[in-house]
mmCIF file of all heavy atoms in Angstrom:
data_model
loop_
_atom_site.group_PDB
_atom_site.id
_atom_site.type_symbol
_atom_site.label_atom_id
_atom_site.label_comp_id
_atom_site.label_asym_id
_atom_site.label_seq_id
_atom_site.Cartn_x
_atom_site.Cartn_y
_atom_site.Cartn_z
ATOM 1 N N ARG A 178 -85.173 -75.086 69.548
ATOM 2 C CA ARG A 178 -85.907 -75.482 68.342
ATOM 3 C C ARG A 178 -85.065 -75.229 67.088
ATOM 4 O O ARG A 178 -85.015 -76.052 66.171
ATOM 5 C CB ARG A 178 -87.241 -74.739 68.247
ATOM 6 C CG ARG A 178 -88.087 -75.167 67.043
ATOM 7 C CD ARG A 178 -89.454 -74.513 67.061
ATOM 8 N NE ARG A 178 -89.435 -73.062 67.139
ATOM 9 C CZ ARG A 178 -89.178 -72.257 66.110
ATOM 10 N NH1 ARG A 178 -88.900 -72.762 64.919
ATOM 11 N NH2 ARG A 178 -89.205 -70.941 66.268
ATOM 12 N N LEU A 179 -84.350 -74.116 67.058
ATOM 13 C CA LEU A 179 -83.461 -73.817 65.936
ATOM 14 C C LEU A 179 -82.426 -74.932 65.764
ATOM 15 O O LEU A 179 -82.202 -75.429 64.651
ATOM 16 C CB LEU A 179 -82.746 -72.483 66.158
ATOM 17 C CG LEU A 179 -81.567 -72.155 65.254
ATOM 18 C CD1 LEU A 179 -81.992 -72.058 63.796
ATOM 19 C CD2 LEU A 179 -80.880 -70.875 65.732
ATOM 20 N N MET A 180 -81.821 -75.345 66.860
ATOM 21 C CA MET A 180 -80.829 -76.411 66.791
ATOM 22 C C MET A 180 -81.458 -77.725 66.325
ATOM 23 O O MET A 180 -80.929 -78.408 65.456
ATOM 24 C CB MET A 180 -80.174 -76.624 68.162
ATOM 25 C CG MET A 180 -79.493 -75.407 68.738
ATOM 26 S SD MET A 180 -78.216 -74.764 67.679
ATOM 27 C CE MET A 180 -78.192 -73.073 68.228
ATOM 28 N N HIS A 181 -82.606 -78.057 66.880
ATOM 29 C CA HIS A 181 -83.280 -79.307 66.524
ATOM 30 C C HIS A 181 -83.700 -79.323 65.063
ATOM 31 O O HIS A 181 -83.528 -80.345 64.376
ATOM 32 C CB HIS A 181 -84.467 -79.565 67.440
ATOM 33 C CG HIS A 181 -84.096 -79.887 68.853
ATOM 34 N ND1 HIS A 181 -83.355 -80.995 69.202
ATOM 35 C CD2 HIS A 181 -84.324 -79.211 70.003
ATOM 36 C CE1 HIS A 181 -83.156 -81.007 70.503
ATOM 37 N NE2 HIS A 181 -83.727 -79.927 71.009
ATOM 38 N N GLU A 182 -84.253 -78.213 64.554
ATOM 39 C CA GLU A 182 -84.670 -78.159 63.151
ATOM 40 C C GLU A 182 -83.476 -78.283 62.209
ATOM 41 O O GLU A 182 -83.566 -78.925 61.171
ATOM 42 C CB GLU A 182 -85.460 -76.879 62.864
ATOM 43 C CG GLU A 182 -86.838 -76.906 63.451
ATOM 44 C CD GLU A 182 -87.701 -75.726 63.034
ATOM 45 O OE1 GLU A 182 -87.488 -75.182 61.923
ATOM 46 O OE2 GLU A 182 -88.585 -75.347 63.822
ATOM 47 N N THR A 183 -82.362 -77.680 62.592
ATOM 48 C CA THR A 183 -81.162 -77.785 61.770
ATOM 49 C C THR A 183 -80.665 -79.224 61.713
ATOM 50 O O THR A 183 -80.374 -79.747 60.632
ATOM 51 C CB THR A 183 -80.054 -76.860 62.330
ATOM 52 O OG1 THR A 183 -80.538 -75.509 62.336
ATOM 53 C CG2 THR A 183 -78.794 -76.964 61.494
ATOM 54 N N VAL A 184 -80.570 -79.854 62.861
ATOM 55 C CA VAL A 184 -80.093 -81.246 62.918
ATOM 56 C C VAL A 184 -81.075 -82.178 62.198
ATOM 57 O O VAL A 184 -80.662 -83.100 61.495
ATOM 58 C CB VAL A 184 -79.842 -81.680 64.369
ATOM 59 C CG1 VAL A 184 -79.550 -83.185 64.464
ATOM 60 C CG2 VAL A 184 -78.683 -80.866 64.960
ATOM 61 N N ALA A 185 -82.373 -81.904 62.326
ATOM 62 C CA ALA A 185 -83.362 -82.737 61.632
ATOM 63 C C ALA A 185 -83.187 -82.642 60.115
ATOM 64 O O ALA A 185 -83.354 -83.631 59.404
ATOM 65 C CB ALA A 185 -84.778 -82.306 62.027
ATOM 66 N N ARG A 186 -82.827 -81.467 59.607
ATOM 67 C CA ARG A 186 -82.674 -81.276 58.161
ATOM 68 C C ARG A 186 -81.341 -81.800 57.655
ATOM 69 O O ARG A 186 -81.273 -82.478 56.647
ATOM 70 C CB ARG A 186 -82.830 -79.792 57.828
ATOM 71 C CG ARG A 186 -82.465 -79.375 56.422
ATOM 72 C CD ARG A 186 -83.625 -79.541 55.458
ATOM 73 N NE ARG A 186 -83.281 -79.188 54.105
ATOM 74 C CZ ARG A 186 -83.515 -78.012 53.540
ATOM 75 N NH1 ARG A 186 -84.122 -77.055 54.204
ATOM 76 N NH2 ARG A 186 -83.163 -77.803 52.299
ATOM 77 N N TRP A 187 -80.237 -81.449 58.349
ATOM 78 C CA TRP A 187 -78.908 -81.756 57.814
ATOM 79 C C TRP A 187 -78.056 -82.640 58.712
ATOM 80 O O TRP A 187 -76.904 -82.913 58.392
ATOM 81 C CB TRP A 187 -78.178 -80.480 57.466
ATOM 82 C CG TRP A 187 -78.691 -79.864 56.193
ATOM 83 C CD1 TRP A 187 -78.931 -80.519 55.018
ATOM 84 C CD2 TRP A 187 -79.005 -78.512 55.967
ATOM 85 N NE1 TRP A 187 -79.397 -79.633 54.078
ATOM 86 C CE2 TRP A 187 -79.449 -78.378 54.633
ATOM 87 C CE3 TRP A 187 -78.976 -77.377 56.758
ATOM 88 C CZ2 TRP A 187 -79.836 -77.184 54.075
ATOM 89 C CZ3 TRP A 187 -79.365 -76.177 56.208
ATOM 90 C CH2 TRP A 187 -79.786 -76.086 54.876
ATOM 91 N N GLY A 188 -78.568 -83.078 59.844
ATOM 92 C CA GLY A 188 -77.866 -84.050 60.653
ATOM 93 C C GLY A 188 -76.787 -83.531 61.578
ATOM 94 O O GLY A 188 -76.263 -84.282 62.390
ATOM 95 N N ARG A 189 -76.472 -82.268 61.477
ATOM 96 C CA ARG A 189 -75.411 -81.734 62.323
ATOM 97 C C ARG A 189 -75.371 -80.211 62.214
ATOM 98 O O ARG A 189 -76.041 -79.618 61.390
ATOM 99 C CB ARG A 189 -74.050 -82.291 61.932
ATOM 100 C CG ARG A 189 -73.587 -81.855 60.559
ATOM 101 C CD ARG A 189 -72.275 -82.516 60.167
ATOM 102 N NE ARG A 189 -71.707 -81.872 59.021
ATOM 103 C CZ ARG A 189 -72.095 -82.077 57.765
ATOM 104 N NH1 ARG A 189 -73.094 -82.894 57.498
ATOM 105 N NH2 ARG A 189 -71.505 -81.436 56.769
ATOM 106 N N ILE A 190 -74.524 -79.597 63.045
ATOM 107 C CA ILE A 190 -74.237 -78.168 62.987
ATOM 108 C C ILE A 190 -72.722 -78.044 63.020
ATOM 109 O O ILE A 190 -72.075 -78.565 63.928
ATOM 110 C CB ILE A 190 -74.850 -77.414 64.186
ATOM 111 C CG1 ILE A 190 -76.377 -77.549 64.172
ATOM 112 C CG2 ILE A 190 -74.429 -75.942 64.164
ATOM 113 C CD1 ILE A 190 -77.036 -77.126 65.480
ATOM 114 N N ASP A 191 -72.156 -77.373 62.029
ATOM 115 C CA ASP A 191 -70.709 -77.198 61.969
ATOM 116 C C ASP A 191 -70.269 -75.794 62.356
ATOM 117 O O ASP A 191 -69.194 -75.609 62.916
ATOM 118 C CB ASP A 191 -70.192 -77.495 60.549
ATOM 119 C CG ASP A 191 -70.470 -78.906 60.123
ATOM 120 O OD1 ASP A 191 -70.061 -79.836 60.833
ATOM 121 O OD2 ASP A 191 -71.124 -79.101 59.065
ATOM 122 N N VAL A 192 -71.087 -74.797 62.013
ATOM 123 C CA VAL A 192 -70.715 -73.401 62.226
ATOM 124 C C VAL A 192 -71.909 -72.673 62.842
ATOM 125 O O VAL A 192 -73.047 -72.851 62.390
ATOM 126 C CB VAL A 192 -70.347 -72.716 60.882
ATOM 127 C CG1 VAL A 192 -70.054 -71.231 61.080
ATOM 128 C CG2 VAL A 192 -69.173 -73.418 60.222
ATOM 129 N N LEU A 193 -71.643 -71.870 63.860
ATOM 130 C CA LEU A 193 -72.668 -71.037 64.463
ATOM 131 C C LEU A 193 -72.160 -69.604 64.479
ATOM 132 O O LEU A 193 -71.216 -69.280 65.196
ATOM 133 C CB LEU A 193 -72.990 -71.497 65.882
ATOM 134 C CG LEU A 193 -74.000 -70.693 66.676
ATOM 135 C CD1 LEU A 193 -75.338 -70.645 65.955
ATOM 136 C CD2 LEU A 193 -74.166 -71.274 68.068
ATOM 137 N N ALA A 194 -72.744 -68.757 63.629
ATOM 138 C CA ALA A 194 -72.361 -67.344 63.547
ATOM 139 C C ALA A 194 -73.464 -66.529 64.219
ATOM 140 O O ALA A 194 -74.546 -66.358 63.675
ATOM 141 C CB ALA A 194 -72.180 -66.930 62.092
ATOM 142 N N ASN A 195 -73.176 -66.042 65.417
ATOM 143 C CA ASN A 195 -74.133 -65.235 66.169
ATOM 144 C C ASN A 195 -73.987 -63.776 65.782
ATOM 145 O O ASN A 195 -73.191 -63.047 66.348
ATOM 146 C CB ASN A 195 -73.900 -65.412 67.686
ATOM 147 C CG ASN A 195 -74.250 -66.797 68.141
ATOM 148 O OD1 ASN A 195 -75.302 -67.305 67.819
ATOM 149 N ND2 ASN A 195 -73.355 -67.402 68.887
ATOM 150 N N VAL A 196 -74.778 -63.376 64.798
ATOM 151 C CA VAL A 196 -74.666 -62.014 64.269
ATOM 152 C C VAL A 196 -75.833 -61.155 64.710
ATOM 153 O O VAL A 196 -75.755 -59.934 64.641
ATOM 154 C CB VAL A 196 -74.570 -62.035 62.719
ATOM 155 C CG1 VAL A 196 -74.299 -60.657 62.158
ATOM 156 C CG2 VAL A 196 -73.480 -63.003 62.264
ATOM 157 N N VAL A 197 -76.896 -61.771 65.196
ATOM 158 C CA VAL A 197 -78.063 -61.011 65.617
ATOM 159 C C VAL A 197 -77.634 -59.975 66.639
ATOM 160 O O VAL A 197 -76.772 -60.210 67.476
ATOM 161 C CB VAL A 197 -79.156 -61.950 66.189
ATOM 162 C CG1 VAL A 197 -78.737 -62.587 67.480
ATOM 163 C CG2 VAL A 197 -80.450 -61.205 66.362
ATOM 164 N N GLY A 198 -78.199 -58.806 66.506
ATOM 165 C CA GLY A 198 -77.767 -57.729 67.391
ATOM 166 C C GLY A 198 -78.909 -56.807 67.724
ATOM 167 O O GLY A 198 -80.075 -57.095 67.467
ATOM 168 N N GLY A 199 -78.553 -55.709 68.274
ATOM 169 C CA GLY A 199 -79.547 -54.734 68.659
ATOM 170 C C GLY A 199 -79.239 -54.260 70.055
ATOM 171 O O GLY A 199 -78.364 -54.784 70.730
ATOM 172 N N THR A 200 -79.973 -53.275 70.456
ATOM 173 C CA THR A 200 -79.747 -52.715 71.773
ATOM 174 C C THR A 200 -81.043 -52.151 72.315
ATOM 175 O O THR A 200 -81.950 -51.819 71.546
ATOM 176 C CB THR A 200 -78.644 -51.635 71.741
ATOM 177 O OG1 THR A 200 -78.421 -51.160 73.069
ATOM 178 C CG2 THR A 200 -79.000 -50.472 70.848
ATOM 179 N N ILE A 201 -81.126 -52.078 73.599
ATOM 180 C CA ILE A 201 -82.297 -51.481 74.232
ATOM 181 C C ILE A 201 -82.266 -49.969 74.030
ATOM 182 O O ILE A 201 -83.282 -49.342 73.783
ATOM 183 C CB ILE A 201 -82.322 -51.807 75.740
ATOM 184 C CG1 ILE A 201 -82.427 -53.318 75.960
ATOM 185 C CG2 ILE A 201 -83.464 -51.088 76.436
ATOM 186 C CD1 ILE A 201 -82.229 -53.744 77.397
ATOM 187 N N TRP A 202 -81.086 -49.395 74.134
ATOM 188 C CA TRP A 202 -80.922 -47.945 74.063
ATOM 189 C C TRP A 202 -80.163 -47.581 72.795
ATOM 190 O O TRP A 202 -79.143 -48.188 72.477
ATOM 191 C CB TRP A 202 -80.152 -47.453 75.280
ATOM 192 C CG TRP A 202 -80.807 -47.864 76.555
ATOM 193 C CD1 TRP A 202 -81.855 -47.263 77.172
ATOM 194 C CD2 TRP A 202 -80.454 -48.994 77.371
ATOM 195 N NE1 TRP A 202 -82.189 -47.945 78.319
ATOM 196 C CE2 TRP A 202 -81.340 -49.015 78.468
ATOM 197 C CE3 TRP A 202 -79.499 -49.986 77.277
ATOM 198 C CZ2 TRP A 202 -81.295 -49.974 79.456
ATOM 199 C CZ3 TRP A 202 -79.446 -50.953 78.256
ATOM 200 C CH2 TRP A 202 -80.331 -50.938 79.331
ATOM 201 N N TRP A 203 -80.612 -46.574 72.075
ATOM 202 C CA TRP A 203 -79.944 -46.126 70.844
ATOM 203 C C TRP A 203 -79.189 -44.845 71.168
ATOM 204 O O TRP A 203 -79.772 -43.770 71.240
ATOM 205 C CB TRP A 203 -80.972 -45.886 69.741
ATOM 206 C CG TRP A 203 -81.628 -47.145 69.347
ATOM 207 C CD1 TRP A 203 -82.817 -47.633 69.808
ATOM 208 C CD2 TRP A 203 -81.126 -48.132 68.468
ATOM 209 N NE1 TRP A 203 -83.090 -48.850 69.263
ATOM 210 C CE2 TRP A 203 -82.060 -49.177 68.419
ATOM 211 C CE3 TRP A 203 -79.969 -48.246 67.695
ATOM 212 C CZ2 TRP A 203 -81.887 -50.317 67.642
ATOM 213 C CZ3 TRP A 203 -79.792 -49.369 66.923
ATOM 214 C CH2 TRP A 203 -80.748 -50.386 66.899
ATOM 215 N N GLN A 204 -77.895 -44.971 71.355
ATOM 216 C CA GLN A 204 -77.053 -43.820 71.676
ATOM 217 C C GLN A 204 -75.599 -44.202 71.420
ATOM 218 O O GLN A 204 -75.280 -45.379 71.335
ATOM 219 C CB GLN A 204 -77.257 -43.405 73.135
ATOM 220 C CG GLN A 204 -76.886 -44.471 74.146
ATOM 221 C CD GLN A 204 -77.359 -44.154 75.547
ATOM 222 O OE1 GLN A 204 -77.941 -43.110 75.770
ATOM 223 N NE2 GLN A 204 -77.119 -45.027 76.481
ATOM 224 N N PRO A 205 -74.725 -43.223 71.302
ATOM 225 C CA PRO A 205 -73.307 -43.559 71.157
ATOM 226 C C PRO A 205 -72.799 -44.329 72.355
ATOM 227 O O PRO A 205 -73.247 -44.117 73.490
ATOM 228 C CB PRO A 205 -72.629 -42.188 71.080
ATOM 229 C CG PRO A 205 -73.709 -41.244 70.650
ATOM 230 C CD PRO A 205 -74.985 -41.789 71.233
ATOM 231 N N TYR A 206 -71.868 -45.234 72.128
ATOM 232 C CA TYR A 206 -71.381 -46.127 73.173
ATOM 233 C C TYR A 206 -70.882 -45.366 74.400
ATOM 234 O O TYR A 206 -71.142 -45.775 75.527
ATOM 235 C CB TYR A 206 -70.276 -47.025 72.622
ATOM 236 C CG TYR A 206 -69.778 -48.015 73.645
ATOM 237 C CD1 TYR A 206 -70.503 -49.159 73.941
ATOM 238 C CD2 TYR A 206 -68.586 -47.780 74.345
ATOM 239 C CE1 TYR A 206 -70.066 -50.064 74.894
ATOM 240 C CE2 TYR A 206 -68.154 -48.687 75.308
ATOM 241 C CZ TYR A 206 -68.879 -49.826 75.568
ATOM 242 O OH TYR A 206 -68.456 -50.697 76.517
ATOM 243 N N HIS A 207 -70.180 -44.268 74.197
ATOM 244 C CA HIS A 207 -69.599 -43.554 75.334
ATOM 245 C C HIS A 207 -70.662 -42.958 76.258
ATOM 246 O O HIS A 207 -70.347 -42.557 77.381
ATOM 247 C CB HIS A 207 -68.626 -42.466 74.852
ATOM 248 C CG HIS A 207 -69.275 -41.304 74.183
ATOM 249 N ND1 HIS A 207 -69.647 -41.350 72.854
ATOM 250 C CD2 HIS A 207 -69.624 -40.094 74.646
ATOM 251 C CE1 HIS A 207 -70.193 -40.194 72.522
ATOM 252 N NE2 HIS A 207 -70.202 -39.417 73.589
ATOM 253 N N ARG A 208 -71.914 -42.946 75.837
ATOM 254 C CA ARG A 208 -72.985 -42.426 76.691
ATOM 255 C C ARG A 208 -73.709 -43.516 77.490
ATOM 256 O O ARG A 208 -74.577 -43.227 78.290
ATOM 257 C CB ARG A 208 -73.994 -41.654 75.850
ATOM 258 C CG ARG A 208 -73.403 -40.382 75.295
ATOM 259 C CD ARG A 208 -74.439 -39.525 74.680
ATOM 260 N NE ARG A 208 -73.819 -38.301 74.195
ATOM 261 C CZ ARG A 208 -74.359 -37.496 73.317
ATOM 262 N NH1 ARG A 208 -75.562 -37.778 72.838
ATOM 263 N NH2 ARG A 208 -73.737 -36.422 72.921
ATOM 264 N N TYR A 209 -73.366 -44.769 77.271
ATOM 265 C CA TYR A 209 -73.983 -45.849 78.016
ATOM 266 C C TYR A 209 -73.477 -45.838 79.454
ATOM 267 O O TYR A 209 -72.303 -45.638 79.715
ATOM 268 C CB TYR A 209 -73.633 -47.211 77.412
ATOM 269 C CG TYR A 209 -74.464 -47.585 76.214
ATOM 270 C CD1 TYR A 209 -74.324 -46.920 75.010
ATOM 271 C CD2 TYR A 209 -75.379 -48.612 76.291
ATOM 272 C CE1 TYR A 209 -75.082 -47.259 73.916
ATOM 273 C CE2 TYR A 209 -76.148 -48.973 75.203
ATOM 274 C CZ TYR A 209 -75.992 -48.277 74.008
ATOM 275 O OH TYR A 209 -76.748 -48.624 72.941
ATOM 276 N N THR A 210 -74.387 -46.110 80.393
ATOM 277 C CA THR A 210 -73.969 -46.264 81.776
ATOM 278 C C THR A 210 -73.469 -47.696 81.970
ATOM 279 O O THR A 210 -73.765 -48.590 81.155
ATOM 280 C CB THR A 210 -75.139 -46.013 82.749
ATOM 281 O OG1 THR A 210 -76.104 -47.054 82.578
ATOM 282 C CG2 THR A 210 -75.783 -44.646 82.515
ATOM 283 N N GLU A 211 -72.790 -47.916 83.062
ATOM 284 C CA GLU A 211 -72.323 -49.271 83.354
ATOM 285 C C GLU A 211 -73.500 -50.236 83.516
ATOM 286 O O GLU A 211 -73.449 -51.373 83.042
ATOM 287 C CB GLU A 211 -71.470 -49.254 84.628
ATOM 288 C CG GLU A 211 -70.798 -50.579 84.900
ATOM 289 C CD GLU A 211 -69.814 -50.504 86.059
ATOM 290 O OE1 GLU A 211 -69.312 -49.415 86.370
ATOM 291 O OE2 GLU A 211 -69.564 -51.572 86.647
ATOM 292 N N ASP A 212 -74.577 -49.786 84.127
ATOM 293 C CA ASP A 212 -75.763 -50.636 84.274
ATOM 294 C C ASP A 212 -76.371 -50.996 82.930
ATOM 295 O O ASP A 212 -76.830 -52.125 82.725
ATOM 296 C CB ASP A 212 -76.813 -49.952 85.148
ATOM 297 C CG ASP A 212 -76.429 -49.918 86.620
ATOM 298 O OD1 ASP A 212 -75.559 -50.729 87.035
ATOM 299 O OD2 ASP A 212 -76.989 -49.089 87.348
ATOM 300 N N GLN A 213 -76.412 -50.049 81.985
ATOM 301 C CA GLN A 213 -76.950 -50.328 80.664
ATOM 302 C C GLN A 213 -76.086 -51.360 79.934
ATOM 303 O O GLN A 213 -76.614 -52.273 79.292
ATOM 304 C CB GLN A 213 -77.062 -49.041 79.846
ATOM 305 C CG GLN A 213 -78.158 -48.124 80.310
ATOM 306 C CD GLN A 213 -78.118 -46.780 79.615
ATOM 307 O OE1 GLN A 213 -77.068 -46.257 79.279
ATOM 308 N NE2 GLN A 213 -79.310 -46.213 79.409
ATOM 309 N N ILE A 214 -74.797 -51.240 80.041
ATOM 310 C CA ILE A 214 -73.898 -52.202 79.396
ATOM 311 C C ILE A 214 -74.093 -53.579 80.018
ATOM 312 O O ILE A 214 -74.207 -54.582 79.299
ATOM 313 C CB ILE A 214 -72.426 -51.742 79.501
ATOM 314 C CG1 ILE A 214 -72.220 -50.472 78.661
ATOM 315 C CG2 ILE A 214 -71.471 -52.852 79.055
ATOM 316 C CD1 ILE A 214 -70.904 -49.780 78.892
ATOM 317 N N ASP A 215 -74.166 -53.658 81.332
ATOM 318 C CA ASP A 215 -74.401 -54.938 82.002
ATOM 319 C C ASP A 215 -75.728 -55.563 81.546
ATOM 320 O O ASP A 215 -75.804 -56.762 81.299
ATOM 321 C CB ASP A 215 -74.396 -54.779 83.514
ATOM 322 C CG ASP A 215 -73.010 -54.541 84.085
ATOM 323 O OD1 ASP A 215 -72.010 -54.799 83.358
ATOM 324 O OD2 ASP A 215 -72.914 -54.089 85.235
ATOM 325 N N SER A 216 -76.751 -54.738 81.429
ATOM 326 C CA SER A 216 -78.057 -55.231 80.994
ATOM 327 C C SER A 216 -77.982 -55.811 79.580
ATOM 328 O O SER A 216 -78.563 -56.859 79.288
ATOM 329 C CB SER A 216 -79.087 -54.103 81.049
ATOM 330 O OG SER A 216 -80.325 -54.551 80.591
ATOM 331 N N GLU A 217 -77.276 -55.146 78.695
ATOM 332 C CA GLU A 217 -77.103 -55.640 77.327
ATOM 333 C C GLU A 217 -76.368 -56.972 77.313
ATOM 334 O O GLU A 217 -76.735 -57.884 76.579
ATOM 335 C CB GLU A 217 -76.341 -54.632 76.458
ATOM 336 C CG GLU A 217 -77.142 -53.417 76.087
ATOM 337 C CD GLU A 217 -78.320 -53.733 75.185
ATOM 338 O OE1 GLU A 217 -78.188 -54.598 74.271
ATOM 339 O OE2 GLU A 217 -79.376 -53.135 75.384
#
């Protein structure tokens, strides 16, 4: 829907900056398990 609404308004998409972020677990990176990293 995001893509369709953009194209409907301006006819195209030139740049896609995927900045949205977040994590399931809030901890320093070195404390993440391999399974947690894979899940992210």
Side-chain angles (χ1 to χ4, degrees):
R178 183 175 55 78
L179 167 63
M180 302 302 155
H181 291 297
E182 287 187 29
T183 301
V184 171
R186 170 86 182 263
W187 284 314
R189 66 184 193 281
I190 299 166
D191 299 304
V192 176
L193 178 58
N195 292 312
V196 186
V197 68
T200 182
I201 298 170
W202 304 278
W203 295 95
Q204 61 192 359
Y206 183 78
H207 70 278
R208 292 190 179 162
Y209 279 70
T210 67
E211 188 173 336
D212 287 340
Q213 288 172 326
I214 293 169
D215 287 344
S216 178
E217 287 295 320

